[in-house]
Amino acid sequence: MIAVVSALGMTTFLGGCGSTGSSDVTLKLVAADYGDSAANTSQKYWDRLARDYESRHPSVKIQVSVYSWTDVDRKVKEMVDAGDPPDMAQIGAYADYADRGLLYKADDLLSIPVQADFLGQLSEAGQLRHVQYGIPFAASTRVLFYNKTLFDEAHITPPKTWDQLASDAEALKAEGVKYPYALPLGPEEAQAETMQWLLGGGSGYTDDIGTYTLNSPQNTETFTWLKDELVGKGLTGPVAPGKLNRADAFAAFASGDVGMLNGHPTLMQQAAKKGVKFGMVPVPGRSGTPKSTMGVTDWMMAFKKHGHKDRIGDFLDFVYSRKNVLDFSREYDLLPVTTSASDAMADAQQDENLRPFLDELPLAQLYPFGKTSWAQISADIKKQIGQTVSPGGDPTAVLNRLQDKASTAESAELAG
């Protein structure tokens, strides 16, 4: 869910030796990088945490390899396909591995207090056929970020509806703003921007019973509106939405070139570092604030291949301690996945900027993570959704193609 800018080579370190048993064990973890530079790479977080754990369990070594979001899911897949999965992986999707019987159940690993501390809707999203395999790791929601300076110069106020958003974008364009509204439908994270707009249009990726509805009438209307009212009128900037990645859109906002865009908490720090004065409001919908915003969570999972269930579980209990969850969330401006850390953050003055996101999380709608087909459907969306708003593009045809593939995958999933 939360993308970064560059691939990091595999970096590992080894600590001491010993643990909950008598023999030495090395646990291998592959994790995603949430940093935006070498200075705040997640490798540093995991190295500190692993050293702390090893000092308490001297016969266990924690070997961590951190990769960018561009690479990490592929790296884990390659390891699994080669028959040598890591003991743990912190990546974007779990369901396919769970469906193949490769993962431990969450309740085989975690203590009861740790399991009970997870936010309910996140634990449910980690279930395949009512059994939890995916352990939520980090969460975020979306709000509309806007550049206060550019808005003041254009004499406009933050929008609450799509029509107001289009009107504001027109005013920003008249002032020479490079990207009045940045619409990142490029391959990096197009599924996120897409889902936010679908929710604003009154639909989503699935219906209330979880069946794919990519080509619903509301979704078709949503992308037709985007094509005609924003992209077709030159209100989304010089880069075609289908080629604009989220990281580039965020960087442009932090450089003062974007009037408004949908963003998650990490954009706050990025913009503040560059001195951009920004505001945040709920993402507009067709006729007002949507009934739910988009929530994203990433996943921790443990592979059964090499055993070590008890030691993996003990380490994960440590990872999900209140202190460690808070430390990670604060380091990367993300939302905690546990109730204890969420309550602490809600009460802390230092986390005041995250409260708009925290307030949205309980009602946020997540990707259909529990469907084994989601990983492929998400990849298809990343590749094709930008065509809906391209010159000569046909939103109906693109959404129909995506729905056909989704329906086929869903049928195979149910048959399996």
Side-chain angles (χ1 to χ4, degrees), residues 285-302:
R286 185 183 301 278
S287 56
T289 303
K291 64 180 180 180
S292 64
T293 187
M294 185 190 71
V296 174
T297 186
D298 302 319
W299 302 101
M300 179 72 75
M301 63 209 71

Side-chain angles (χ1 to χ4, degrees), residues 169-192:
E170 289 275 13
L172 291 164
K173 181 182 179 182
E175 291 292 319
V177 175
K178 189 173 182 180
Y179 294 89
Y181 178 86
L183 182 66
L185 296 177
E188 178 194 346
E189 205 186 25
Q191 83 285 0

Side-chain angles (χ1 to χ4, degrees), residues 187-204:
E188 178 194 346
E189 205 186 25
Q191 83 285 0
E193 183 75 9
T194 296
M195 183 170 173
Q196 192 62 69
W197 281 97
L198 298 185
L199 291 172
S203 188

